[in-house]
Amino acid sequence: MGLPGLVLLLLAAGLLRAQPTAPARSFQLDYEHDCFLRDGVPFRYVSGSIHYARVPRPAWRDRLLKMYMSGLNALQVYVPWNYHEPLPGLYNFAGDRDVEAFLDLTAELGLLVILRPGPYICAEWEMGGLPAWLLWQSDIVLRSSDPAFLAAVDSWLHVLLPKIKPRLYQNGGNIISVQVENEYGSYYACDYNYLRHLLGSFRALLGSEVLLFTTDGAQAEELRCGTLQGLYATVDFGPGSNLTEAFGAQRGVEPRGPLVNSEYYTGWLDYWGGTHASTSATQVARGLADMLRLGANVNMYMFHGGTNFAYWSGADLKAQYKPVTTSYDYDAPLSEAGDPTEKLFAIRTVISQFQPLPAGPMPPATPKYAYGQVDLRKYADLLDVLDVLSPSGPIRSQFPLTFEAIKQEYQGTLERDGQSTLPVTGRAGDALDVLLENMGRLSFGANFSDFKGLLGNLSLDSSPLSNWLIYPLAIDAAVQQGWPHAALPQPSSRGRSGPAFYTGTFETPGIAWDTFVKFPGWSKVRSRRADEGVERGRAQPRLPLAGPAVDKRLQPGPLLAPPRAPADPLCAWLSPACRLPQQHHGAGAGGSSSQPLPALPRPAPSQQHPQPQHLDRRINAGLPGAVTFLVCVSCTPWCVGEGREDMAALEK
């Protein structure tokens, strides 16, 4: 090779060596400067919680965009195990359950993600996210190193975490950290071997670089059992807490590193029978500002609460059983309907003092529409359709069985009054029909295995009743097969009163706006919707109204309500009424301008009855045609049993 050629070759080699390589993506702890490092640069997140399982998929983009426009640079989200594995080995990641699509959308909108995959999540969710089928093994010890529990957990994590790994920040995604378990320090077991097992599983499936963390209450006794070396410990607390004491508790287990409040409470949940929770916007904003001045990282729980659709609301045990309402509005900055509130603009103002806000206005609240009164007529008595709702017939048992023993899973959240006996009258040889309901398994509190149904025998004068016929009611399966339209009820000859299905129809002009369902004088409602004249698969209902709520998302099928409902007239109102201000907010803190909402003619004031707040229900009836929904006057039946002995005083 001649000299010129050699020179050119050397120059080319030099250019190749001089080309800069792309820096490795990383999200790490900086113990020296008490902060996070994102790609080697100090970073602080201001985040908000949203749960994809509580928001219909068509609304994901709207809610996430509003969070981004509020100034958040990250969001926090749970993955409920039972939402994706309803039966052992049967997985569902489609539609509203498509967690990968949700995560991809967050990345598209420029939001980082703090992921909380459990396996236990609390979240006021049915059984804290643990599948109820775990209780088929009656002696299982949940959230412990019980081999039966660990085997189920490992099987689930081997399905979920491979979906997560490509989306980790160091792998080019937007997930900056992953929580292991949740508030384990509040659980009685205090099983460090369990936490060590989880840590090993997460490391094996996600790699050594991912930032793993724990969250516990800001008390030394909670942090003692909830933390483990190799998991960065964070705390949670609400406005009004003493910041020095709260973060001091974190410093007790993490002397150096970033200050993190993983759950800064913007509001609170609602329990059955209580008033709607409310937290001052001023107090929430002030507490946020104080933490940001300290340089802390903050996640606001919740930023948008949403709705416990279907049968997913859980329960707490705080001196007494406290079932959670269908609504998960949480008095959050984004209302249950996804509307910006004054609290959101107060928070947005605080954030603007610490980091730039995105350019552009806040997306407005959604418009609402009134459809007027819906009259309800009786469709069938519950006991006349047992052949449809329990097609395999009854299970014969000498004594009552729990829901888990007959693999009857959780189907609804209603109330219970706690009484343990019930005087009944009858003659010797009469049959006793018992209607059982499941009001939600514990998501927080004692956290023992929360079996449902009759946990002991029913007795008459201390003598147990025997020879039971037990009908597990598969209402969802019946609906999927076309009921109630596909199977007409057999008329009853018993002249009974009690549980009965009712139906009503209203016309929609094809306007895709939200509406609210009210049941004047009713105390509980189970609601479903069946559309006539439209393609059923296209009729997607929206969210229920904010506030303590009872009925589930309207979808094809039956509705259930209690015997205290008025006998005549039976009706419901569909209107845009809402406890929250219905305003379209402009850009800037607190900016708003009211806009009139189009509505059909409303009933005269004399025709409108005062309703309990928890009976306002929100749906979307935007497709043309007749929309039919059904109700049942009774407590929700998820299992019917007939005791073939004398009438009994009921013992639970």
Side-chain angles (χ1 to χ4, degrees):
M1 180 181 295
L3 184 59
L6 177 62
V7 172
L8 290 175
L9 181 61
L10 292 174
L11 287 174
L15 288 173
L16 288 174
R17 286 195 300 270
Q19 287 179 348
T21 58
R25 289 167 59 91
S26 63
F27 192 84
Q28 301 169 318
L29 296 163
D30 184 344
Y31 289 102
E32 181 180 356
H33 299 98
D34 297 330
C35 67
F36 291 114
L37 293 178
R38 180 186 179 190
D39 299 335
V41 177
F43 175 81
R44 189 252 299 276
Y45 65 71
V46 182
S47 171
S49 286
I50 180 175
H51 301 153
Y52 62 94
R54 286 177 161 131
V55 182
R57 182 168 180 169
W60 287 352
R61 180 178 293 272
D62 172 78
R63 308 305 190 261
L64 293 174
L65 180 59
K66 287 171 179 173
M67 294 176 71
Y68 175 80
M69 294 304 297
S70 298
L72 305 183
N73 57 10
L75 63 87
Q76 189 190 89
V77 61
Y78 280 127
V79 179
W81 176 6
N82 52 11
Y83 192 58
H84 296 285
E85 191 178 3
L87 293 172
L90 178 65
Y91 301 101
N92 187 346
F93 290 94
D96 289 349
R97 290 170 168 81
D98 193 341
V99 61
E100 293 178 279
F102 178 83
L103 293 173
D104 291 344
L105 182 57
T106 65
E108 177 187 332
L109 295 176
L111 288 161
L112 299 172
V113 170
I114 302 154
L115 191 70
R116 308 175 84 180
Y120 166 84
I121 63 171
C122 184
E124 290 74 58
W125 189 263
E126 154 72 358
M127 204 164 150
L130 301 179
W133 50 258
L134 291 169
L135 301 181
W136 293 356
Q137 182 171 325
S138 59
D139 60 348
I140 194 170
V141 182
L142 304 176
R143 302 177 70 193
S144 78
S145 52
D146 180 342
F149 182 66
L150 291 184
V153 168
D154 285 346
S155 177
W156 162 240
L157 293 180
H158 276 78
V159 171
L160 174 65
L161 296 188
K163 299 177 183 294
I164 303 306
K165 186 173 182 179
R167 294 171 171 84
L168 296 176
Y169 188 81
Q170 61 268 25
N171 295 334
N174 63 328
I175 300 175
I176 56 176
S177 59
V178 178
Q179 179 176 291
V180 176
E181 241 272 352
N182 184 60
E183 295 180 327
Y184 191 66
S186 299
Y187 190 57
Y188 76 94
C190 197
D191 187 341
Y192 291 114
N193 287 332
Y194 168 56
L195 291 181
R196 292 187 188 100
H197 182 93
L198 290 182
L199 174 57
S201 297
F202 275 68
R203 284 289 177 216
L205 292 169
L206 295 181
S208 60
E209 295 182 6
V210 60
L211 174 59
L212 301 178
F213 71 99
T214 60
T215 300
D216 284 286
Q219 301 293 328
E221 58 270 22
E222 295 170 312
L223 288 159
R224 180 178 65 87
C225 288
T227 57
L228 187 73
Q229 186 175 4
L231 300 171
Y232 189 72
T234 73
V235 292
D236 53 32
F237 56 89
S241 298
N242 184 304
L243 296 187
T244 301
E245 294 178 358
F247 283 130
Q250 183 190 4
R251 282 287 178 250
V253 291
E254 296 289 0
R256 301 303 301 265
L259 296 175
V260 180
N261 185 345
S262 287
E263 291 186 9
Y264 176 60
Y265 303 112
T266 62
W268 202 245
L269 60 141
D270 293 326
Y271 297 115
W272 263 101
T275 59
H276 178 50
S278 178
T279 304
S280 162
T282 301
Q283 185 183 29
V284 171
R286 182 185 301 119
L288 176 62
D290 290 343
M291 287 186 289
L292 295 183
R293 289 191 193 98
L294 291 176
N297 299 262
V298 182
N299 174 73
M300 287 168 273
Y301 189 102
M302 298 291 296
F303 203 85
H304 173 53
T307 304
N308 294 310
F309 292 125
Y311 318 112
W312 295 114
S313 49
D316 283 352
L317 187 62
K318 298 178 178 178
Q320 63 179 4
Y321 177 81
K322 304 183 73 173
V324 178
T325 61
T326 301
S327 170
Y328 203 65
D329 174 73
Y330 216 86
D331 195 33
L334 276 176
S335 75
E336 182 174 13
D339 296 342
T341 66
E342 297 304 322
K343 185 178 291 183
L344 180 146
F345 288 101
I347 288 171
R348 191 170 186 257
T349 297
V350 169
I351 294 174
S352 70
Q353 298 168 3
F354 295 88
Q355 59 192 41
L357 295 177
M362 175 66 63
T366 59
K368 280 73 178 176
Y369 200 90
Y371 295 88
Q373 177 177 317
V374 179
D375 295 319
L376 304 177
R377 58 182 177 82
K378 189 171 182 178
Y379 172 78
D381 290 308
L382 171 64
L383 297 182
D384 291 337
V385 291
L386 288 180
D387 59 331
V388 176
L389 302 183
S390 189
S392 60
I395 297 171
R396 298 179 182 272
S397 176
Q398 183 74 2
F399 297 108
L401 300 174
T402 65
F403 283 17
E404 292 75 21
I406 59 176
K407 295 181 172 55
Q408 177 73 4
E409 291 309 311
Y410 177 63
Q411 298 293 306
T413 300
L414 297 174
E415 65 183 352
R416 71 180 182 190
D417 56 18
Q419 69 182 51
S420 59
T421 62
L422 177 67
V424 295
T425 59
R427 296 172 301 208
D430 283 352
L432 174 64
D433 296 327
V434 180
L435 189 64
L436 303 179
E437 58 181 293
N438 177 356
M439 300 178 1
R441 291 184 179 84
L442 295 177
S443 54
F444 188 84
N447 284 306
F448 49 78
S449 298
D450 194 13
F451 293 93
K452 293 296 181 180
L454 291 174
L455 306 186
N457 292 325
L458 274 72
S459 61
L460 171 66
D461 296 332
S462 300
S463 298
L465 296 178
S466 59
N467 301 321
W468 286 83
L469 298 179
I470 302 170
Y471 293 83
L473 302 185
I475 294 181
D476 284 352
V479 169
Q480 292 169 3
Q481 296 170 10
W483 187 81
H485 300 296
L488 296 177
Q490 295 295 323
S492 171
S493 59
R494 297 173 59 179
R496 67 171 63 90
S497 60
F501 292 94
Y502 286 75
T503 183
T505 301
F506 66 96
E507 297 291 331
T508 65
I511 300 175
W513 288 348
D514 291 341
T515 193
F516 298 85
V517 184
K518 295 185 177 183
F519 292 83
W522 298 52
S523 57
K524 271 194 177 179
V525 176
R526 281 287 294 117
S527 56
R528 288 180 180 266
R529 154 180 157 176
D531 298 311
E532 299 174 351
V534 298
E535 180 182 344
R536 178 170 294 175
R538 292 175 54 218
Q540 295 297 323
R542 299 298 186 193
L543 304 178
L545 175 68
V550 282
D551 61 319
K552 308 300 180 182
R553 179 170 58 167
L554 296 182
Q555 53 190 328
L559 289 176
L560 302 173
R564 296 187 296 277
D568 186 30
L570 288 172
C571 67
W573 295 101
L574 295 173
S575 77
C578 178
R579 289 184 298 100
L580 297 176
Q582 296 305 304
Q583 300 170 335
H584 291 262
H585 295 279
S592 65
S593 60
S594 299
Q595 297 185 10
L597 299 176
L600 293 176
R602 297 294 305 280
S606 61
Q607 296 176 284
Q608 299 186 45
H609 305 279
Q611 359 271 329
Q613 288 183 344
H614 64 272
L615 289 183
D616 292 352
R617 308 303 300 128
R618 179 170 175 266
I619 64 171
N620 179 285
L623 295 177
V627 178
T628 303
F629 60 99
L630 298 94
V631 300
C632 178
V633 179
S634 174
C635 295
T636 303
W638 303 129
C639 187
V640 173
E642 293 188 356
R644 295 301 179 181
E645 297 288 344
D646 293 337
M647 303 295 289
L650 303 183
E651 290 186 351
K652 183 163 188 300

